[in-house]
Amino acid sequence: MYENAKIVMDAVRAADHDRYLTVLYAPAEKRDALFSLYAFNAEIAGIRDRIHEALPGEVRLQWWRDLIAADYDGTGIGHPVADALKATISAHRLPKLAFDNMLEARIFDLYDDPMPSRTDLEGYCGETAAALIQLAAMMLDPSEAPRFAELAGRAGCAQAMTGLLLLLPLHRKRGQCFVPAEILAAAGSSPEEFVAGDGRPGARRAVAAMIALAREHLFAFEQGAAGLPASLRPAFLPLALSRAYLDKMEGSRQSPLDGVARLSALRRHWLLLRRASKGWLAL
């Protein structure tokens, strides 16, 4: 059991180091469950990196869907992340529908279709990052979590959009476009030009609009974050890094189209420690 837990923890540390750091601020008895949730997210988020064709990728997502839908009888299948996640869902009575919706949303990752609209983007963020925050909150404090479901939605949009901006060079190289087509059109660009172009003014205006949209959700989150109980803070801690990354994007001479340098480990630790101890009262 200990060996499996370590494998799951190491998977998060390698694939999603920012969330790995946030788990260290959760109570010790909650960490294994959080690691199982974040390891699952890293697994499904990385399917395109490991399986380069869409249909086999969909098969893998369906494997997860079937696994989660099946009743848990306490026996494992030999997949450390899957076994840990099944135990977590059972122990914390997590809603399987949230996982099904998350897996459905991840189908978009496997194809190169452009994101149609802001509404579609917000829906994608809601089913992925926001759902992850809400599930983590349910594990940390099931009595308090429901009161902050709407706040989790705002937080997830801010966090996911910031992450998509950080991944722009990778997505453009693949031919993917998460910037909504309607935002690109308003900026004088298009999905085709944005992906294949050389960063013309239209593309840069679209990136600025995406940063503004992420900040809109971040501001809405911060307006309600002062009321977050300490018990739920670890679920929302990634937002401390989102603000810093957005500040860096706007303060840098280098466009997110070309890549944004990650925050140093020391800076990330300090930001997380500050929010874990003080919350969002002092912004």
Side-chain angles (χ1 to χ4, degrees):
M1 198 62 136
Y2 169 78
E3 183 180 349
N4 266 15
K6 187 176 186 308
I7 291 171
V8 172
M9 179 186 71
D10 288 345
V12 179
R13 179 162 47 194
D16 192 350
H17 198 258
D18 287 350
R19 282 195 179 95
Y20 167 80
L21 293 177
T22 68
V23 176
L24 303 183
Y25 292 94
E29 69 275 12
K30 304 283 188 178
R31 291 175 192 165
D32 284 350
L34 289 169
F35 279 133
S36 73
L37 178 66
Y38 296 156
F40 162 73
N41 180 66
E43 280 267 338
I44 62 173
I47 285 177
R48 176 150 180 169
D49 294 320
R50 299 189 306 274
I51 304 173
H52 303 297
E53 295 182 12
L55 288 180
E58 287 205 46
V59 170
R60 189 60 176 174
L61 290 173
Q62 185 61 46
W63 181 85
W64 279 104
R65 185 177 281 117
D66 294 341
L67 181 89
I68 291 168
D71 292 334
Y72 179 66
D73 60 5
T75 60
I77 63 168
H79 187 297
V81 175
D83 291 340
L85 181 70
K86 288 284 286 185
T88 293
I89 291 172
S90 177
H92 295 274
R93 299 180 181 180
L94 300 179
K96 292 183 179 181
L97 181 59
F99 292 93
D100 195 65
N101 291 339
M102 195 182 301
L103 289 160
E104 181 69 23
R106 286 293 181 183
I107 293 175
F108 183 86
D109 299 1
L110 306 178
Y111 294 88
D112 295 334
D113 299 329
M115 186 69 71
S117 67
R118 167 178 170 165
T119 301
D120 291 304
L121 175 62
E122 289 171 338
Y124 173 88
C125 296
E127 301 293 4
T128 54
L132 209 63
I133 292 171
Q134 184 63 8
L135 289 166
M138 292 172 67
M139 289 190 284
L140 290 165
D141 191 339
S143 63
E144 288 282 5
R147 295 201 298 121
F148 297 94
E150 184 176 345
L151 200 65
R154 289 291 200 169
C157 282
Q159 184 195 5
M161 290 176 191
T162 302
L164 291 173
L165 284 161
L166 290 171
L167 290 171
L168 272 178
L170 173 63
H171 291 158
R172 292 176 75 216
K173 184 178 179 180
R174 287 177 175 169
Q176 285 181 294
C177 185
F178 283 87
V179 179
E182 66 180 18
I183 289 179
L184 288 165
S189 185
S190 68
E192 295 76 21
E193 188 276 330
F194 186 81
V195 168
D198 56 0
R200 296 175 188 173
R204 293 177 184 274
R205 286 192 294 269
V207 169
M210 276 286 286
I211 293 173
L213 182 56
R215 281 203 180 278
E216 178 185 321
H217 285 286
L218 181 62
F219 177 76
F221 161 73
E222 290 175 346
Q223 290 296 101
L228 271 174
S231 60
L232 294 183
R233 284 179 198 163
F236 291 83
L237 274 183
L239 275 295
L241 304 181
S242 296
R243 168 185 266 265
Y245 278 124
L246 291 171
D247 288 344
K248 191 165 190 175
M249 288 177 204
E250 292 190 317
S252 174
R253 293 181 180 179
Q254 187 171 358
S255 168
L257 288 165
D258 304 314
V260 177
R262 295 281 176 164
L263 298 170
S264 70
L266 182 62
R267 173 76 170 158
R268 284 181 287 151
H269 276 289
W270 183 83
L271 289 168
L272 293 172
L273 175 62
R274 185 177 178 222
R275 290 289 166 251
S277 57
K278 297 184 178 180
W280 276 262
L281 292 171
L283 283 167

